[in-house]
């Protein structure tokens, strides 16, 4: 059975009272009916008082403009006057229609995303992609116009393969972008769908999109606020603003509050904001902000602004820089290669100069194809996707692949406190009561909605003899508007407890604490908790203590109380509230043994000191008191006789005076498990963590010190609130952050975004974590936005690039380690691919300059770049992270992807690759005596082969060999007859690049980091060699690729030319190691010298 506190009714007007007909009807007992009548009369009284006081405290009689930004500064009377509306009659239907035309619908517009065609075109903006596209088009045109080529199929292979690669990359890019643009659409889900408004003197239910400024809206517990409103009247209202402000508990509202100047969202106690939720109580307000003029609309605009910045990840920036540099080098080499062969345009073999120019232009195109690592985009995407899969197993879900690498260079994590560092569930963690002249405290175990937690130092016998704890339990049960229910099977359960809280987080924590106490009651079987009924212990107190009346919470006395009548006894007043305020109204205390004695100044001071200690631990303390003797007038009073007290708020404090203090509980939003260790790991990794929260400064600082985010004895410069941050100039903000400011309290969405902007101005790589709507704009603006998967709102998730499936801050540290490892792997396969491509460029350029026949065709180059290189490059992405990778400082955002010694190594290795490829080609023509019987020639003949048409065809220059007939046409020896030489060059290039992949395994020697450390690389090398063997020894593939089988004798020469690349790279690794040691030694000596000074 679900027990739910009844809703009270309004007495504002016949129209307004109709709203509560939609609420569950209260119990039909005379007690409950009269109780509701009394609460209604309170509402009438408070309404009359509010109008009177507002007339006295209003800011101006004739305000020029009132909107959502400044409505909190004006009295209700002024706001109603400005919008020309009677709160009991509302707008007329005609006026509502006119205002809808004027102000527009109460909706958040969503800018249409780019069209499919626009997204496809965006994928071709990369300069390397454009060069490849031009090369493909030129190759296709040449193949189309070439009427003399014997193998037309081979001519079309190159452009078709390039085009297929570009199309595949474009499809992948468009797919990723289509998945990522949902954040603004998710905002629409936060807006309420229906609203209760007074129009034309009648209460009506309208679509929230039809709300207009000036509408009178009526709300009750459980309702979602449909627009920004200035409150007119409230009754015991609590509002959950956590998704908007980050506050960890529901807040009270006061329409009578007179505010001045700029206020934070948290301080606007006389306002309600769109998307927040009424947890308890009732309210009436006037709409002052709709659609994009609401606070939710501002957040939407901030998200759009963050999108417009068009930020790139550090990896994307480095690849763009690399691509631009490489493209200029490619163009220069291609043009140079074409021009240096100008004299060869006129060689007889070409027939005419035009054909000669086209021939060398094709070589230039081959140079472009050779220089551009076609497989690089695919390899990077595959590598990042593999990392994404590994991270998913560790509960980190990546929404954008490039974000994986961005984590690796993160220097600052801006983390929301509520729901990120803490569990976002208020929990009673300490209970205190009086024992003689001292205060006894017991720690309470279990977090959030865990009903099984133990209370330290308590057993069933001790509980039975502790009257103070029993009275505290009664107050938790009866002086409480919250209730717990079991979640039906199949419904969403965010924390896995199977329990749902209805009401405020603070009162809910008392209900959970009550159930924990019930386990120690001898009258109950502890095995029944919480399996039978999540409110089993509450039911006992409800049955034994029928409710007579409530004195709702007011901000002036900071407490609430209820009057109950235990069976067969007099009325008792049960109080809960701020301990300091209760102590002032108490004259006695009740000890654990039931003894009641005077509350002396000494004991009061002891209690206050204990509460102060608890507050330093981020506890929100809530005191309990009881008043048994209320005088003969009220000890037997029924509901009707209590009207004078219940209906007059001014009498509450006096009625509650001379009470007996029982004790207090400490409530807090506990820190997540392992968060402290994760923060320590961040510190060791050189990552600064900044905590951001909407809570007050004291709570934020206490949590920060508990988690060692700041030292226990740190000064005030480490803390800052939103207002203070707002008043600083850009330079001053940077100065404060450099000085160590790491805890920001009372922060609004705009402050989070400004903080991210400031950090980016400092060249920091910023990660922003959060779970609420208020985090979305900053999450989107940061380099890497991280949201919570369990407790995060849809807006935060869709704005983020990384989602923590377990809401665990520790998962971020694992993701950062993965990101650092993936960057090292990306550099490894870029080093591998680029050094190999440099070798191809050197081979083609030198061939062109020396005037050799074409050593490698474009098809050969594509085969090497896409097939044989692709597998090892991808396998390098499986390199395990190097030891101590999380003990290094993050790399700088401006660190070059390729620079210094790395670039030198590229060119040295690449040059050797190119020379070895040409050398084996020359070796076959000039020195390699094989059984095929081919004719050996001189270097001069090889370099002047283009003059072969002028050679005497009657004199047999070359003998026929294998299946090649070259004796009648000497030119055939350098065209079709070069198949074996080209095959040797291609095979040397493939094998040498396999050895080069081994070199790229680590910056350490292969003797230190052996090849089998990465089993995937071993398998990839084996597969690449196998694929190459296929094209060598399968006849159909022979023809397509223009190659021939090799003998074992020829394979020996291949290995002889290839293996030295291992020795060469090992030598350079040794040199680099010696240089690093020298630098480290010099730095240590400099540090010692500075310390000595």
């Amino acid at each position: 059975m679900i027990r739910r506190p009844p809703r009270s009714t309004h007495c504002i007007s016949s129209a307004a009272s109709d709203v509560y007909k939609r609420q569950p009807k209260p119990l039909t007992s005379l007690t409950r009916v009269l109780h509701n009548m009394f609460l209604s009369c309170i509402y009438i009284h408070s309404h009359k008082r509010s109008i009177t006081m507002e007339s006295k405290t209003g800011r101006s009689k004739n305000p020029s403009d009132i909107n959502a930004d400044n409505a909190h500064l004006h009295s209700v009377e002024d706001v109603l006057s400005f919008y020309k509306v009677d709160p009991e009659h509302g707008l007329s239907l005609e006026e509502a229609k006119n205002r809808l035309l004027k102000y527009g619908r109460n909706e958040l517009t969503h800018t249409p995303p780019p069209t499919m065609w626009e997204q496809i075109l965006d994928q071709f903006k990369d300069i390397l992609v454009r060069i490849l596209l031009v090369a493909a088009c030129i190759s296709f045109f040449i193949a189309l116009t070439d009427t003399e080529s014997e193998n037309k199929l081979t001519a079309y292979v190159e452009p078709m393969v390039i085009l297929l690669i570009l199309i595949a990359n474009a499809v992948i890019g468009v797919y990723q972008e289509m998945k990522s643009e949902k954040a603004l659409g998710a905002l629409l889900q936060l807006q309420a769908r229906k609203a209760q408004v007074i129009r034309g003197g009648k209460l009506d239910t309208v679509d929230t999109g039809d709300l207009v400024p000036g509408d009178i809206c009526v709300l009750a517990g459980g309702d979602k606020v449909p627009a920004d409103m200035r409150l007119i009247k409230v009754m015991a209202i609590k509002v959950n603003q956590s998704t908007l402000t980050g506050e960890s508990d529901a807040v009270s509202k006061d329409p009578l509050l007179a505010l001045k100047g700029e206020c934070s969202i948290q301080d606007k106690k006389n306002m309600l904001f769109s998307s927040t939720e009424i947890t308890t109580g009732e309210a009436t307000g006037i709409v002052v902000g709709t659609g994009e003029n609401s606070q939710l609309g501002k957040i939407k605009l901030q998200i759009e602004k963050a999108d417009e910045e068009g930020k790139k990840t550090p990896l994307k920036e480095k690849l763009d820089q690399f691509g631009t540099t490489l493209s200029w080098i490619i163009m220069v080499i291609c043009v140079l290669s074409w021009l240096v062969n100008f004299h060869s345009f006129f060689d007889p073999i070409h027939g005419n100069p035009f054909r000669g120019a086209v021939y060398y232009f094709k070589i230039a195109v081959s140079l472009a194809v050779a220089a551009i690592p076609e497989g690089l985009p695919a390899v990077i995407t595959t590598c990042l996707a593999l990392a994404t899969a590994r991270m998913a197993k560790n509960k980190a879900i990546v929404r954008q692949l490039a974000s994986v690498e961005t984590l690796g260079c993160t220097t600052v994590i801006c983390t929301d406190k509520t729901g990120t560092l803490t569990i976002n569930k208020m929990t009673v963690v300490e209970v205190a009561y009086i024992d003689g002249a001292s205060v006894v405290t017991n720690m309470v175990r279990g977090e959030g909605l865990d009903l099984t937690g133990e209370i330290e130092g308590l057993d069933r016998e001790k509980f039975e003899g502790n009257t103070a704890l029993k009275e505290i339990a009664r107050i938790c049960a009866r002086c409480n508007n919250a209730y717990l229910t079991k979640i039906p099977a199949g419904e969403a359960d965010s924390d896995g407890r199977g329990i749902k809280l209805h009401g405020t987080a603070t009162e809910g924590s008392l209900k959970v604490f009550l159930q924990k106490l019930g386990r120690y009651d001898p009258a109950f079987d502890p095995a029944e908790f919480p399996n039978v009924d999540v409110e089993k212990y509450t039911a006992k107190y409800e049955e034994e203590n029928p409710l007579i009346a409530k004195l709702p919470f007011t901000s002036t006395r900071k407490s609430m109380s209820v009057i109950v009548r235990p069976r067969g006894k007099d009325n008792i007043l049960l109080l809960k509230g701020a301990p300091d305020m209760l102590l002032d109204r108490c004259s006695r205390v009740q000890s654990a043994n039931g003894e009641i004695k005077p509350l002396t100044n000494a004991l009061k001071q002891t209690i206050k000191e204990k509460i102060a200690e608890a507050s330093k631990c981020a506890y929100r303390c809530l005191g309990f008191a009881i008043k048994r003797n209320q005088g003969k007038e009220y000890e037997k009073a029924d509901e009707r006789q209590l009207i004078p007290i219940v209906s007059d708020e001014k009498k509450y404090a006096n009625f509650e005076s001379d009470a007996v203090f029982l004790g207090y509980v400490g409530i807090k939003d506990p820190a997540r498990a392992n968060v402290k260790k994760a923060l320590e790991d961040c510190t060791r990794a050189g990552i600064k963590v900044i905590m951001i929260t909407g809570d007050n400064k004291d709570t934020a600082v206490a949590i920060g010190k508990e988690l060692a985010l700041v030292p226990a004895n740190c000064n005030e410069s480490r803390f800052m609130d939103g207002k203070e941050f707002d008043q600083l100039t850009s330079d001053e903000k940077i100065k404060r952050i450099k000085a160590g400011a790491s805890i920001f309290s009372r922060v609004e969405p705009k402050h989070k975004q400004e903080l991210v902007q400031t950090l980016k101005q400092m060249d920091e790589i910023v990660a922003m974590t959060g779970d609420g709507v208020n985090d979305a704009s900053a999450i989107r603006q940061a380099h890497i936005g991280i949201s919570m998967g369990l407790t995060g709102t849809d807006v935060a998730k869709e704005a983020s690039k990384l989602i923590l499936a377990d809401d665990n801050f520790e998962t971020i540290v694992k993701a950062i380690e993965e990101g650092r490892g993936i960057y090292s792997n990306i550099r490894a396969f870029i080093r591998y691919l680029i050094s190999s491509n440099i070798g191809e460029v050197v081979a083609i350029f030198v061939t062109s300059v020396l005037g050799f026949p074409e050593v490698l065709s474009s098809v050969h180059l594509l085969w090497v770049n896409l097939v044989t290189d692709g597998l090892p490059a991808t396998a390098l992405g499986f390199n395990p992270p190097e030891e101590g990778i999380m003990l290094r400082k993050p790399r700088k955002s401006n660190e070059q992807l390729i620079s210094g010694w790395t670039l030198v190594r590229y060119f040295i290795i690449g040059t050797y690759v190119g020379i070895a490829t040409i050398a084996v080609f020359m070796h076959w023509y000039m020195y390699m005596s094989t059984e095929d019987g081919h004719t050996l020639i001189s270097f001069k003949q090889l370099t002047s082969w283009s003059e072969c048409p002028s050679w005497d065809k009657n004199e047999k220059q070359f003998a026929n060999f294998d299946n090649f007939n070259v004796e009648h046409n000497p030119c055939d020896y350098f065209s079709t007859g070069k198949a074996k030489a080209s095959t040797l060059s291609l095979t040397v290039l493939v094998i040498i690049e396999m050895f080069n992949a081994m070199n790229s395994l680590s910056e350490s020697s292969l003797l230190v980091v052996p090849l089998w450390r990465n089993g995937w690389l071993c398998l990839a090398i084996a597969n690449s060699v196998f694929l190459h063997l296929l094209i060598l020894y399968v006849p159909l593939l022979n023809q397509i690729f223009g190659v021939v089988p090799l003998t074992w004798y020829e394979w020996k020469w291949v290995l002889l030319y290839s293996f030295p690349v291992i020795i060469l790279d090992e030598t350079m690794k040794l040199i680099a190691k010696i240089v690093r040691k020298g630098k480290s030694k010099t730095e240590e000596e400099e540090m010692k010298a500075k310390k000595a000074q």
Side-chain angles (χ1 to χ4, degrees):
M1 173 181 177
I2 298 176
R3 282 166 291 278
R4 179 171 183 160
R7 301 192 188 271
S8 57
T9 58
H10 278 301
C11 291
I12 55 174
S13 70
S14 59
S17 63
D18 289 343
V19 68
Y20 301 107
K21 293 178 181 178
R22 60 191 170 92
Q23 303 297 338
K25 292 183 178 181
L27 300 176
T28 57
S29 68
L30 177 62
T31 299
R32 189 70 76 190
V33 173
L34 290 176
H35 168 62
N36 290 339
M37 290 174 60
F38 298 155
L39 292 181
S40 301
C41 292
I42 295 173
Y43 197 83
I44 296 173
H45 178 79
S46 65
H47 171 45
K48 292 178 178 179
R49 176 173 171 267
S50 70
I51 297 298
T52 302
M53 292 191 66
E54 287 159 2
S55 298
K56 297 178 180 179
T57 60
R59 274 181 53 87
S60 63
K61 294 298 181 183
N62 297 298
S64 59
D65 182 42
I66 296 179
N67 52 45
D69 292 330
N70 60 21
H72 63 283
L73 301 175
H74 299 278
S75 68
V76 172
E77 185 182 49
D78 286 343
V79 178
L80 292 172
S81 175
F82 177 80
Y83 285 105
K84 300 176 182 179
V85 62
D86 179 347
E88 295 192 6
H89 186 272
L91 297 174
S92 67
L93 297 179
E94 186 65 26
E95 179 62 19
K97 290 180 180 178
N98 292 336
R99 294 193 183 191
L100 188 62
L101 294 175
K102 178 181 178 181
Y103 294 103
R105 288 181 60 78
N106 179 33
E107 294 176 341
L108 298 181
T109 59
H110 184 27
T111 304
T115 64
M116 178 76 74
W117 178 244
E118 290 173 336
Q119 290 179 328
I120 291 174
L121 290 180
D122 283 343
Q123 308 307 313
F124 290 89
K125 290 182 177 179
D126 186 271
I127 191 166
L128 288 180
V129 172
R130 290 180 177 181
I131 291 176
L132 267 179
L133 185 61
V134 171
C137 292
I138 292 174
S139 298
F140 187 82
F141 177 76
I142 292 175
L144 191 65
T145 57
D146 187 3
T147 58
E148 298 183 2
S149 176
E150 295 180 3
N151 194 344
K152 298 288 288 184
L153 177 61
T154 303
Y156 285 110
V157 168
E158 176 189 341
M160 293 303 295
V161 170
I162 295 176
L163 288 174
L164 287 174
I165 293 169
L166 296 179
I167 291 172
N169 282 334
V171 169
I172 293 172
V174 170
Y175 175 72
Q176 291 294 331
E177 289 183 8
M178 289 177 65
K179 289 203 307 179
S180 65
E181 293 302 321
K182 296 180 181 177
L184 300 180
L187 278 168
L188 300 176
Q189 302 302 317
L190 287 171
Q191 295 178 292
R193 292 288 178 258
K194 298 292 181 181
Q196 297 284 332
V197 297
I198 300 173
R199 284 184 179 174
K202 296 181 180 179
L203 187 69
D204 193 12
T205 301
V206 301
D207 187 276
T208 55
D210 294 330
L211 285 179
V212 295
D215 261 327
I216 304 299
C217 193
V218 185
L219 299 163
D223 290 341
K224 187 171 285 187
V225 180
D228 288 2
M229 302 179 193
R230 173 64 167 90
L231 284 167
I232 298 175
K233 40 203 158 187
V234 301
M235 184 173 183
I237 190 174
K238 288 281 188 176
V239 183
N240 182 358
Q241 299 183 156
S242 62
T243 59
L244 191 63
T245 65
E247 294 169 291
S248 53
D249 197 12
V251 296
S252 301
K253 295 290 182 176
D254 185 359
L256 306 181
L257 196 61
L259 300 172
K260 295 181 180 180
E262 288 296 323
C263 298
S264 65
I265 296 175
Q266 296 93 325
D267 293 331
K268 294 178 181 179
K269 300 292 187 180
N270 53 16
M271 296 281 294
L272 291 177
F273 299 102
S274 178
S275 83
T276 59
E277 185 176 353
I278 309 296
T279 56
T280 61
E282 299 149 3
T284 301
I286 177 172
V287 175
V288 293
T290 59
E292 297 191 6
N293 294 318
S294 66
Q295 189 63 39
L296 194 65
K298 291 180 181 179
I299 294 175
K300 179 250 185 184
L301 294 175
Q302 288 170 348
I303 294 176
E304 287 182 339
K305 182 179 178 181
D307 283 341
E308 290 170 0
E309 292 182 2
K311 56 188 178 295
K312 297 179 180 179
T313 66
L315 177 62
K316 177 63 177 173
E317 291 176 350
K318 297 298 175 293
L319 289 175
D320 285 349
Q321 294 172 4
F322 170 71
T324 301
T325 303
L326 183 60
S327 64
W328 281 107
I329 293 174
I330 290 170
M331 284 190 284
V332 170
I333 292 177
C334 288
V335 172
L336 188 61
S337 172
W338 192 65
L339 292 178
V340 297
N341 285 287
F342 178 76
H343 66 281
S344 300
F345 293 177
F346 304 92
D347 287 345
I349 193 171
H350 304 306
N352 58 62
F354 176 76
R355 288 184 176 177
V358 170
Y359 174 81
Y360 286 101
F361 184 75
K362 287 175 65 178
I363 292 179
V365 171
S366 296
L367 262 176
V369 173
I372 298 175
E374 295 90 344
L376 184 58
V379 170
I380 290 178
T381 300
T382 303
C383 187
L384 293 175
L386 293 170
T388 297
R390 290 195 296 270
M391 292 172 68
K393 293 180 180 179
N394 290 323
K395 306 298 183 181
I397 301 170
V398 178
R399 298 184 66 249
Q400 293 184 4
L401 291 181
S403 302
V404 178
E405 182 276 333
T406 307
L407 277 167
C409 59
T410 298
T411 58
V412 177
I413 299 176
C414 296
T415 175
D416 188 43
K417 177 187 75 68
T418 306
T420 307
L421 297 178
T422 64
I423 65 174
N424 195 19
K425 285 181 171 56
M426 300 302 286
T427 305
V428 174
V429 294
E430 180 182 83
V431 60
Y433 50 88
I434 312 301
D435 187 5
S438 61
V439 179
V440 178
T441 58
N442 296 102
M443 300 304 296
V444 182
R445 301 301 177 191
E447 297 177 345
L449 298 177
D450 179 10
L451 305 183
T452 62
E454 297 180 351
I455 301 174
E456 292 185 356
L458 190 67
D459 56 32
R460 294 168 74 85
E461 182 178 349
K462 290 180 180 179
F463 179 77
E464 179 64 19
N466 195 323
T467 59
L469 270 182
K470 287 183 177 180
E471 293 295 359
I472 290 175
R474 174 158 57 173
I475 296 172
C476 289
R478 300 309 285 134
C479 195
N480 198 325
N481 292 319
Y483 63 99
L484 307 174
T485 60
K486 277 192 172 183
I487 298 176
E491 288 191 13
D493 184 6
S494 61
D495 63 2
R497 309 279 187 194
I499 300 170
K500 184 176 182 179
L501 166 63
H502 305 264
T504 67
T506 297
E507 291 193 319
S509 69
L510 296 180
K511 279 295 183 75
V512 173
F513 170 62
L514 175 65
Q515 293 303 108
K516 293 175 182 177
L517 280 176
R519 297 167 62 86
Y520 297 95
D521 193 326
F524 287 82
D525 182 359
E528 295 182 354
F529 294 89
N531 301 321
V532 176
D533 187 343
V534 293
E535 286 217 329
K536 185 177 181 65
Y537 205 47
T538 301
K540 167 193 173 183
Y541 288 101
E542 287 183 346
E543 182 179 348
E544 295 176 352
N545 301 272
L547 183 67
I548 304 299
K550 280 187 181 181
L551 278 64
F553 175 89
T554 59
S555 58
T556 53
R557 75 189 209 284
K558 294 185 179 179
S559 64
M560 74 167 287
S561 57
V562 297
I563 300 172
V564 299
R565 182 180 297 169
R567 301 298 183 189
K569 297 182 180 180
D570 295 339
N571 291 344
I572 297 176
L573 183 69
L574 306 177
L575 300 91
K576 82 169 190 290
D580 55 339
M581 301 290 279
L582 285 189
L583 284 170
D584 290 341
R585 296 201 291 274
C586 291
S587 59
R588 293 162 295 167
V589 296
Q590 179 174 324
S591 293
N593 61 6
E595 179 186 1
I596 298 176
K597 59 184 181 180
L599 176 59
T600 63
N601 289 334
L603 182 55
K604 182 185 288 189
Q605 185 60 32
T606 299
I607 296 173
K608 287 185 175 181
E609 288 175 358
K610 280 285 188 179
I611 292 172
E613 291 177 7
S615 298
K616 291 180 181 179
C617 298
Y619 295 176
R620 178 187 176 187
C621 293
L622 199 62
F624 303 98
I626 186 170
K627 185 177 180 179
R628 295 184 178 86
N629 184 11
Q630 301 165 7
K632 292 184 179 180
E633 182 180 358
Y634 297 112
E635 63 184 15
K636 297 291 185 182
D638 58 19
E639 294 89 342
R640 186 179 298 276
Q641 293 169 321
L642 287 170
I643 288 178
I645 296 296
V646 176
S647 62
D648 191 351
E649 185 181 305
K650 293 180 181 179
K651 296 181 180 179
Y652 287 2
N654 185 57
F655 189 74
E656 294 171 344
S657 64
D658 196 28
V660 178
F661 188 78
L662 297 168
Y664 66 88
V665 293
I667 304 172
K668 71 177 294 187
D669 182 12
R672 292 184 179 278
N674 300 323
V675 164
K676 187 173 182 179
K677 179 182 179 300
L679 292 173
E680 292 172 352
D681 291 341
C682 288
T683 301
R684 284 193 292 269
I687 301 169
K688 179 181 177 66
V689 179
I690 295 177
M691 184 174 76
I692 305 173
T693 180
D695 270 341
N696 61 64
K697 178 180 175 181
D698 292 340
T699 301
V701 172
I703 289 290
K705 290 181 178 180
E706 178 187 344
L707 296 175
L709 185 59
V710 294
N713 58 348
C714 62
N715 57 45
E716 290 291 319
S717 65
R718 303 295 293 271
F719 323 127
M720 196 184 310
D721 62 26
K723 285 184 179 178
E724 184 182 358
F725 186 71
D726 230 358
Q727 294 168 358
L728 299 178
T729 64
S730 179
D731 292 340
E732 288 172 338
K733 291 175 182 176
I734 292 174
K735 186 176 180 181
R736 283 294 299 273
I737 293 173
K738 286 184 176 179
S742 52
I743 294 180
F744 291 76
S745 59
R746 287 297 182 187
V747 172
E748 295 186 43
K750 65 176 183 178
H751 298 140
K752 296 185 178 186
Q753 200 165 2
E754 289 170 4
L755 178 59
V756 172
Q757 290 173 346
T758 302
L759 290 167
K760 291 171 77 173
Q761 289 174 10
M762 298 167 64
D763 292 328
E764 304 283 3
I765 302 299
V766 185
M768 172 71 189
T769 74
D771 61 350
V773 181
N774 59 318
D775 303 321
S777 56
I779 285 176
R780 179 62 70 94
Q781 187 183 40
H783 293 99
I784 172 72
I786 307 172
S787 65
M788 304 296 111
L790 294 177
T791 58
T793 61
D794 287 343
V795 181
K797 292 176 186 177
E798 296 299 339
S800 66
K801 297 182 178 70
L802 182 72
I803 300 175
L804 303 182
D806 57 357
D807 286 10
N808 194 337
F809 189 86
E810 187 180 19
T811 304
I812 299 176
V813 180
K814 296 178 181 177
I816 289 175
E817 182 177 7
E818 186 69 46
R820 291 189 175 188
I822 204 64
Y823 182 76
S824 298
N825 293 346
I826 287 174
R827 291 191 64 178
F829 62 63
I830 286 179
R831 180 174 68 245
Y832 164 63
L833 289 176
I834 299 303
S835 60
S836 299
N837 282 36
I838 288 175
E840 297 167 16
V841 170
V842 168
I844 295 173
F845 184 75
V846 172
T847 298
S848 176
V849 171
L850 294 178
F852 282 4
E854 188 179 38
V855 175
L856 298 170
S857 67
S858 297
V859 175
H860 292 161
L861 295 175
L862 283 172
W863 171 255
V864 173
N865 290 348
L866 297 177
V867 182
T868 56
D869 280 0
L871 292 175
T874 303
L876 287 171
F878 285 95
N879 283 347
E882 297 181 20
E883 293 184 7
I885 197 169
M886 287 300 289
L887 298 178
R888 306 174 188 171
K889 290 183 178 181
R891 73 177 190 277
K892 295 181 180 180
S893 59
N894 58 357
E895 177 184 305
Q896 295 296 318
L897 192 63
I898 304 170
S899 61
W901 177 244
T902 304
L903 190 60
V904 172
R905 284 179 60 186
Y906 284 176
F907 277 105
I908 293 176
I909 295 296
T911 300
Y912 177 78
V913 171
I915 290 175
T917 302
I918 297 172
V920 75
F921 186 87
M922 293 172 51
H923 188 96
W924 185 84
Y925 268 109
M926 297 171 59
Y927 305 108
M928 191 179 295
S929 298
T930 59
E931 297 177 355
D932 61 11
H934 74 277
T935 304
L936 301 180
I937 61 175
S938 66
F939 180 78
K940 183 178 180 181
Q941 287 177 298
L942 186 60
T943 56
S944 60
W945 74 278
S946 58
E947 300 176 4
C948 62
S950 62
W951 294 349
D952 188 358
K953 294 183 180 181
N954 294 322
E955 182 179 343
K956 292 183 180 180
Q957 300 282 342
F958 309 111
N960 294 333
F961 65 98
D962 282 349
N963 296 320
F964 298 101
N965 186 359
V966 297
E967 63 180 3
H968 298 295
N969 185 1
C971 292
D972 289 342
Y973 192 48
F974 303 101
S975 54
T976 57
K978 68 173 183 178
K980 180 61 70 75
S982 293
T983 301
L984 283 167
S985 292
L986 176 61
T987 304
V988 165
L989 185 59
V990 169
I991 300 303
I992 206 172
E993 291 186 4
M994 297 304 101
F995 286 135
N996 201 17
M998 299 179 191
N999 290 332
S1000 301
L1001 178 65
S1002 171
E1003 289 297 318
S1004 301
S1005 169
L1006 285 172
L1007 299 176
V1008 177
V1009 182
L1011 180 62
W1012 50 84
R1013 186 181 177 189
N1014 186 343
W1016 289 105
L1017 181 60
C1018 299
L1019 184 61
I1021 290 174
N1023 282 337
S1024 293
V1025 172
F1026 174 74
L1027 289 173
H1028 187 67
L1029 291 176
L1030 284 180
I1031 70 167
L1032 291 184
Y1033 297 103
V1034 175
L1036 178 62
L1037 296 177
N1038 286 168
Q1039 298 177 15
I1040 294 175
F1041 288 93
V1043 294
V1044 293
L1046 297 179
T1047 65
W1048 172 238
Y1049 173 77
E1050 291 161 345
W1051 270 105
K1052 291 179 181 178
W1053 283 106
V1054 168
L1055 295 174
L1056 186 63
Y1057 276 102
S1058 303
F1059 186 76
V1061 76
I1062 294 280
I1063 301 173
L1064 182 61
D1065 199 60
E1066 286 290 310
T1067 302
M1068 288 189 290
K1069 286 180 180 178
L1070 180 60
I1071 295 172
K1073 183 178 180 180
I1074 294 172
V1075 172
R1076 282 197 301 268
K1077 283 186 176 181
K1079 286 183 178 180
S1080 298
K1081 187 176 182 180
T1082 303
E1083 289 175 357
E1084 289 177 4
E1085 291 175 351
E1086 289 177 353
M1087 289 293 293
K1088 289 180 181 179
K1090 288 181 179 179
K1091 289 181 180 179
Q1093 294 175 357

